Amino acid sequence: MLDMVPYINKGGHGIAHFRGIADRAVVISSGDVYRAFGRLWKSEPGPPDRVPLTEESPLRTLPAPDREGEDDFDNLDAEWAALADPALPATILRLPATHGPGDRQHRLAPYLRAMLDDRPAIVLGSTHARWRWSRGYVENVAAAIALAVADERASGKTYNLGADPAASEADWIRAVATITGWAGRVRVIPDDQLPLALRQPFDFTQHLELDTARIRRELGYDETVDEAEGLRRTIEWELQALHHVPDHRLDYAAEDEALQLGIG
């Protein structure tokens, strides 16, 4: 039994309805269950957790800090519910930030808009520029899910998914720029000199880099699509969908302020 949306109320956890019918379950979760996610959002006190995050890294002790609207759920609750019944062993897959056709978060949209607007630079604070976040192209994530469904060795296990290694934010933008042919550059400036309008409410000293060695070692997982090709396909789709996406542009005025001051 594969449950792709375990956070939706189904009159009890979805896989529980298949007790005595299915031999095992695979449940989709996220890397946001780790305490590091709370540290990034400053909802959990303490110093940054060590990365890369393994499947045994500390989990959050407080509710998900980004719960709102249709995302008002917690993947930790879904994991606990899935693991509550030993008669139906569950495989937990903790997904990375997944990009590609169908990405309803349109993670690339702000950067692509800046590139289409022929901005001379995209400005990042120095800590944000170095920040690493595990990402994964949707077809590669799907291949890992299919592998966990097909391979009984996955029964009862928890696996992190994502590209290896995780790219920094600055390198991610540069990779997008290479594909689009954008002639601008990433301008990295000291955090304390970043215009207030460009500062974000996150602690970017906490990376969200997932260790994916377990699924590669135990199930023989490998990407089916080269990550660079996956990014190219993502950009192609995003450009076609961009006019349907809310216009969440970067703050050009604040960037111009930093550029005119010659910072960075």
Side-chain angles (χ1 to χ4, degrees):
M1 168 59 190
L2 169 63
D3 194 346
M4 292 291 296
V5 283
Y7 51 85
I8 293 177
N9 188 335
K10 305 182 179 102
H13 193 269
I15 65 171
H17 299 297
F18 290 83
R19 188 178 192 273
I21 300 172
D23 293 325
R24 61 190 184 92
V26 175
V27 176
I28 303 306
S29 183
S30 165
D32 71 8
V33 299
Y34 291 111
R35 185 174 65 187
F37 188 75
R39 295 268 162 89
L40 172 73
W41 279 74
K42 301 181 181 179
S43 65
E44 302 233 1
D49 280 334
R50 183 177 181 178
V51 293
L53 301 165
T54 72
E55 290 83 356
E56 281 73 42
S57 290
L59 303 179
R60 281 186 286 103
T61 59
L62 298 172
D66 59 340
R67 295 177 66 165
E68 60 179 18
E70 63 181 11
D71 294 326
D72 188 15
F73 65 92
D74 195 321
N75 282 304
L76 263 182
D77 293 339
E79 288 195 12
W80 291 332
L83 298 173
D85 187 354
L88 184 60
T91 300
I92 305 295
L93 298 180
R94 292 174 177 162
L95 271 56
T98 304
H99 60 88
D103 174 18
R104 63 187 178 90
Q105 296 190 43
H106 295 278
R107 292 174 174 86
L108 293 181
Y111 295 143
L112 285 175
R113 287 191 192 279
M115 294 174 187
L116 288 175
D117 289 341
D118 200 25
R119 294 289 299 164
I122 292 174
V123 177
L124 295 178
S126 56
T127 308
H128 189 190
R130 294 190 297 269
W131 179 64
R132 298 188 306 280
W133 188 18
S134 284
R135 302 174 173 89
Y137 176 58
V138 64
E139 291 186 52
N140 290 331
V141 172
I145 295 171
L147 181 63
V149 168
D151 195 327
E152 293 188 358
R153 293 178 297 176
S155 181
K157 302 290 187 65
T158 297
Y159 295 109
N160 289 333
L161 307 183
D164 184 22
S168 70
E169 191 73 4
D171 285 343
W172 175 249
I173 298 171
R174 292 183 184 114
V176 174
T178 297
I179 294 170
T180 62
W182 178 56
R185 64 192 181 108
V186 178
R187 289 287 295 271
V188 179
I189 68 177
D191 291 334
D192 60 359
Q193 297 180 40
L194 196 67
L196 290 177
L198 296 181
R199 299 184 186 186
Q200 299 189 49
F202 303 113
D203 181 358
F204 286 118
T205 62
Q206 176 63 74
H207 301 283
L208 294 183
E209 182 179 7
L210 304 179
D211 185 330
T212 63
R214 176 181 288 177
I215 192 169
R216 297 174 188 276
R217 180 181 65 253
E218 294 185 2
L219 303 185
Y221 170 74
D222 197 8
E223 284 76 9
T224 58
V225 178
D226 180 78
E227 285 293 336
E229 171 60 16
L231 183 56
R232 187 197 66 77
R233 296 181 190 179
T234 299
I235 292 170
E236 183 179 73
W237 174 79
E238 286 278 18
L239 290 174
Q240 293 175 351
L242 206 56
H243 61 285
H244 296 300
V245 181
D247 192 1
H248 299 308
R249 294 175 186 263
L250 301 176
D251 192 326
Y252 294 168
E255 289 192 329
D256 288 341
E257 176 189 342
L259 296 173
Q260 289 170 3
L261 291 173
I263 297 172

